[in-house]
Amino acid sequence: MHDMAAGLGRRRGLFAGIAIAFVTALYGVGYIVLGPKLAVYPVSRSELVQSIVASGRVETPLRINVGSQITGTVASIPVAEGQAVQPGQLLIILDDTEAKAAVEQARAMVAQAHARLRQIREVGLPAAQQALRQAEVNLKNIRRQYERTRQLQSQGFVGQSQLDDTLRNLEVAESQLRAAQLQVATNGAQGSDYLLAETALAQAQANLGMTLARLDYTTIEAPVDGTLIARNVERGDVVQPGKVLMVLSPAGQIQLVVQIDEKNLALLHLGQKALGSADAYPDQRFAAELAYINPAVDPQRGSVEVKFNVPNAPAYLRQDMTVSVDIEVASRANAVVVPNETVHDGSGSSPWVMKISDGRAKRQPVKLGVRGAGLVEIVAGLQPGDQVISATAGNVSEGQRVRTRPANSKKR
């Protein structure tokens, strides 16, 4: 009984082995005669949009560095980083004790110069004019006296020494007249004393203006509307000209600055429409427009910097926020398309596909057009209804017989 069961088991094993060998032989014959069974993709028509997606940051076209024009100690900072400010709003107040003292001293110098000029007009000039009149009268009297003495001397009534005395008196009177005339001229509107006094007044007034300006420099105000995006100063710091104390991002135009791979440069042009989204708000998209393409390529990254204007920027956009930009570079309403995965040498100069024609594989050169999400436009080489296989379908040679199945069905 045991021997019969063992014999039956051996026969069953033999039959199973024969069956497997037969099926394998049939499959091999089918593979050789009919070819491998491959997934095929139909060539179809579809709307196709080609876009470039890049990431970058939010930036305003202008940033204003706020600093001090004088050396001073920070007394107060009435604003905070991130605060929106208006033109003229106080940002930083420096200690103004020394500046105020300098202003008071300069005002005193102006008052002194005014007094000196008034003294010349009201005292110096009238006194010089009075002295001139006295010198003129004195000269006239001495000249008459000299003439009488000269006549008497010629008649022998007086000696030569007396005539010499009157001559000396005449010369002194003439000298005094010239001095008085010079004093009047000096104190007059075009005189040197007057001009010197005017110059001293102008210098004092200029010095006052300079000290007032330095006093104004002790208060640093916002030049425009904007938001303070950086603050590098604290109360008690000693600041100097040239040091950036705050950075102000002006209100107004917002731009998105992104880096685009240089291979896509030919697809870009000014005015192109795009959609932006902030990484912090990925579901909220906003319109943007290409406004600038850098003429230079970054040799390190192989990219080009481009900028997009955002006409109606959403309120949540912040300076330096990370954003993504989807740029529509081309579109076709009724394009002949195939999946990207079916194209061989898609980035090269001679792309081609493996087309199925009459149950055999045929190498078919194609001309590519717009590339979209997973699809590529076929400008020449294929027609709707043609069938192609994946570029990764295995070692399929030109003219080889193949069997087909829809790409979305399971292999059997």
Side-chain angles (χ1 to χ4, degrees):
M1 192 72 177
H2 177 74
D3 291 340
M4 291 179 61
L8 182 59
R10 283 194 295 271
R11 286 195 296 274
R12 288 178 179 174
L14 179 61
F15 290 149
I18 293 171
I20 292 172
F22 181 73
V23 171
T24 301
L26 286 177
Y27 182 81
V29 170
Y31 186 89
I32 294 171
V33 175
L34 302 177
K37 197 166 191 178
L38 302 176
V40 293
Y41 299 84
V43 179
S44 60
R45 289 189 178 274
S46 174
E47 180 181 0
L48 193 61
V49 176
Q50 182 174 355
S51 61
I52 300 172
V53 179
S55 61
R57 293 193 174 277
V58 176
E59 187 177 286
T60 56
L62 175 67
R63 293 189 186 188
I64 298 176
N65 293 329
V66 178
S68 174
Q69 294 180 274
I70 60 172
T71 299
T73 303
V74 178
S76 176
I77 304 175
V79 292
E81 186 174 355
Q83 179 177 335
V85 296
Q86 303 295 321
Q89 185 172 344
L90 281 176
L91 304 180
I92 302 171
I93 301 173
L94 304 181
D95 181 71
D96 60 2
T97 304
E98 184 178 346
K100 285 182 176 179
V103 168
E104 293 304 316
Q105 184 179 18
R107 282 178 174 155
M109 296 299 293
V110 170
Q112 184 178 7
H114 271 298
R116 172 60 181 157
L117 193 60
R118 187 169 59 251
Q119 182 185 35
I120 292 175
R121 287 198 300 261
E122 297 177 1
V123 179
L125 181 59
Q129 291 170 337
Q130 181 63 32
L132 176 60
R133 286 192 291 270
Q134 290 176 352
E136 289 173 342
V137 172
N138 185 51
L139 177 60
K140 185 177 181 180
N141 291 334
I142 292 177
R143 184 174 286 123
R144 283 199 301 266
Q145 184 179 359
Y146 170 75
E147 290 297 331
R148 284 196 303 271
T149 302
R150 188 170 63 81
Q151 290 175 0
L152 291 174
Q153 193 273 336
S154 63
Q155 296 172 2
F157 291 107
V158 295
Q160 182 64 39
S161 61
Q162 190 172 353
L163 179 61
D164 292 341
D165 290 340
T166 56
L167 180 59
R168 283 193 294 272
N169 291 339
L170 177 61
E171 292 174 347
V172 171
E174 289 174 343
S175 176
Q176 290 175 341
L177 176 63
R178 287 194 296 271
Q181 289 172 337
L182 181 60
Q183 191 67 24
V184 170
T186 299
N187 286 277
Q190 299 302 318
S192 59
D193 284 357
Y194 192 89
L195 293 177
L196 284 173
E198 280 191 328
T199 301
L201 176 59
Q203 289 177 339
Q205 289 173 331
N207 185 56
L208 175 60
M210 183 176 66
T211 57
L212 286 172
R214 290 183 65 85
L215 180 60
D216 286 341
Y217 292 156
T218 61
T219 55
I220 302 173
E221 301 175 347
V224 296
D225 286 336
T227 303
L228 294 172
I229 60 174
R231 168 180 159 176
N232 307 313
V233 64
E234 297 296 337
R235 182 178 179 181
D237 287 352
V238 176
V239 298
Q240 296 178 337
K243 180 182 179 182
V244 178
L245 306 180
M246 293 181 176
V247 179
L248 178 64
S249 174
Q253 182 65 61
I254 287 180
Q255 288 186 328
L256 311 179
V257 180
V258 301
Q259 298 291 330
I260 303 292
D261 194 301
E262 62 177 315
K263 68 182 180 182
N264 295 318
L265 183 58
L267 302 174
L268 302 177
H269 60 82
L270 298 180
Q272 262 177 331
K273 304 301 181 183
L275 289 175
S277 62
D279 287 3
Y281 303 88
D283 297 331
Q284 301 183 40
R285 309 187 81 186
F286 51 87
E289 182 177 304
L290 183 56
Y292 170 80
I293 302 174
N294 195 313
V297 176
D298 187 330
Q300 303 298 324
R301 295 184 289 184
S303 62
V304 180
E305 182 183 78
V306 299
K307 298 181 180 181
F308 294 84
N309 288 337
V310 183
N312 299 304
Y316 60 78
L317 285 186
R318 298 288 186 271
Q319 181 72 34
D320 295 324
M321 181 179 280
T322 303
V323 292
S324 295
V325 181
D326 191 336
I327 314 157
E328 182 179 320
V329 296
S331 63
R332 297 288 187 272
N334 193 27
V336 176
V337 298
V338 296
N340 286 328
E341 63 187 273
T342 65
V343 180
H344 298 256
D345 195 23
S347 300
S349 58
S350 302
W352 58 279
V353 298
M354 193 64 83
K355 175 183 173 182
I356 304 302
S357 179
D358 296 329
R360 295 183 181 275
K362 177 184 177 182
R363 178 176 174 136
Q364 177 64 49
V366 292
K367 182 178 180 181
L368 306 181
V370 173
R371 298 174 184 269
L375 299 174
V376 60
E377 179 187 17
I378 303 298
V379 177
L382 294 174
Q383 295 295 326
D386 289 343
Q387 293 182 325
V388 294
I389 63 175
S390 172
T392 60
N395 189 17
V396 180
S397 59
E398 172 84 12
Q400 180 178 348
R401 183 178 293 278
V402 296
R403 292 172 293 161
T404 63
R405 62 179 176 84
N408 57 0
S409 68
K410 294 182 180 180
K411 186 175 180 180
R412 295 177 181 174

